[in-house]
Every structure is written in C-alpha cells, then in structure tokens.
Amino acid sequence: MKRWLFSFALIGILFSCNNKAAEATAVEASQEKAIPKTDTADWIGEYFGTVPSSKDIGLEMKLILNPSNTYSLQITHLRTNPKDNEVKEFTGDIHWDEDSTTIVLKELDSLSNKFKVKPGKVEYLNPDATPNTGTLAEFYTLKKK
C-alpha cells in the first residue's frame, strides 16, 4: 500500500514539474524582446490583424506606423451580417511610453490605445498597458505586412 501511495505522489510531482515548465515557456514567449523607438526601421510599416471583441465578432485592424511618429488606424467592427460592419478611421501622433517600446495613440479614445512593438508585429494591449492573457492572447497581435 505504501508503494502505491509513494508511486502516486511521485507521478503527481512529475506532472507538476512538467506543467510549471510549460507555463514558464509560455511566459517567456509572451515576453519576447520588444523594439525600442530608436530602431525606427524595425517598427515603421503596416500591421494587420483581427482582435477579439466583446461586442462584435471581432475588430479587424490595419495600423500604419510612419517614421514621422504619426499613425493611421482603420478598425472594422465585424458583425454577424457583413452589411452591418462599421469602419472607423483614426490618425494622429505616436507617443512613446516610458519603456520606449510601447506606443500610445493619443487620438484614439474609444478603445485601448496602447501597442507593444515587437519584431514583425505589434501587440494590442489592455487599457492599463498589460498584455492580454488566456486562451485568446495570441489573437491580440497585428502582424507586419
């Protein structure tokens, strides 16, 4: 009987260690190196993606970052009936957060206005500048064209 208990305890410990290793790998992937504002050639360009939305099917985003620290953002609110889709466009200046890797789109007030700049993509952040987590986290990324 003691051997069975010991075996179950050992198996539990092994599974626990494997889960922690997988969680650590996921955290490392989400914290991949961001691009600072000084590396202009790496962050200018067009970014595309569809992010989840609590009110719509999703938000299709096209973000253009210019070397003059200006942006253009087109957001299409995707509805069940495509005829009901609503397109909104925003333009303005890019402001860099203290970390020099997060852009703040000042003229954008209706949604979160923060994006973390990473190699080949920008990550759409929560209003408090934290990354989105959970099963849908990967969908909060706009990829560079």
Side-chain angles (χ1 to χ4, degrees):
M1 182 70 165
K2 289 182 182 180
R3 282 187 172 172
W4 282 100
L5 289 174
F6 178 75
S7 296
F8 282 122
L10 184 59
I11 290 170
I13 291 171
L14 289 175
F15 279 116
S16 173
C17 291
N18 285 341
N19 286 342
K20 288 180 183 176
E23 288 174 11
T25 303
V27 168
E28 288 172 10
S30 71
Q31 294 176 344
E32 90 183 56
K33 187 176 179 183
I35 298 174
K37 69 179 177 182
T38 54
D39 294 340
T40 308
D42 291 334
W43 58 262
I44 59 171
E46 296 181 24
Y47 298 85
F48 299 92
T50 302
V51 300
S53 171
S54 61
K55 298 177 184 176
D56 303 308
I57 293 174
L59 300 174
E60 186 177 82
M61 295 186 171
K62 176 184 177 183
L63 175 64
I64 300 172
L65 302 178
N66 302 307
S68 59
N69 277 317
T70 60
Y71 74 91
S72 173
L73 176 65
Q74 181 182 42
I75 300 174
T76 303
H77 294 261
L78 301 174
R79 307 279 164 68
T80 306
N81 184 347
K83 292 178 183 177
D84 296 331
N85 288 354
E86 181 181 357
V87 178
K88 294 183 179 179
E89 294 188 16
F90 304 89
T91 58
D93 295 325
I94 296 170
H95 298 275
W96 291 87
D97 212 354
E98 295 172 1
D99 67 1
S100 293
T101 61
T102 301
I103 58 172
V104 180
L105 311 180
K106 289 290 185 185
E107 290 77 9
L108 182 64
D109 294 329
S110 62
L111 303 167
S112 174
N113 61 350
K114 296 171 179 64
F115 293 83
K116 176 72 79 175
V117 181
K118 296 184 175 185
K121 60 186 173 184
V122 293
E123 182 181 356
Y124 183 55
L125 302 174
N126 290 313
D128 64 355
T130 58
N132 291 284
T133 58
T135 57
L136 298 178
E138 68 184 277
F139 296 106
Y140 287 91
T141 300
L142 307 182
K143 295 184 179 164
K144 193 171 187 178
K145 181 179 178 182

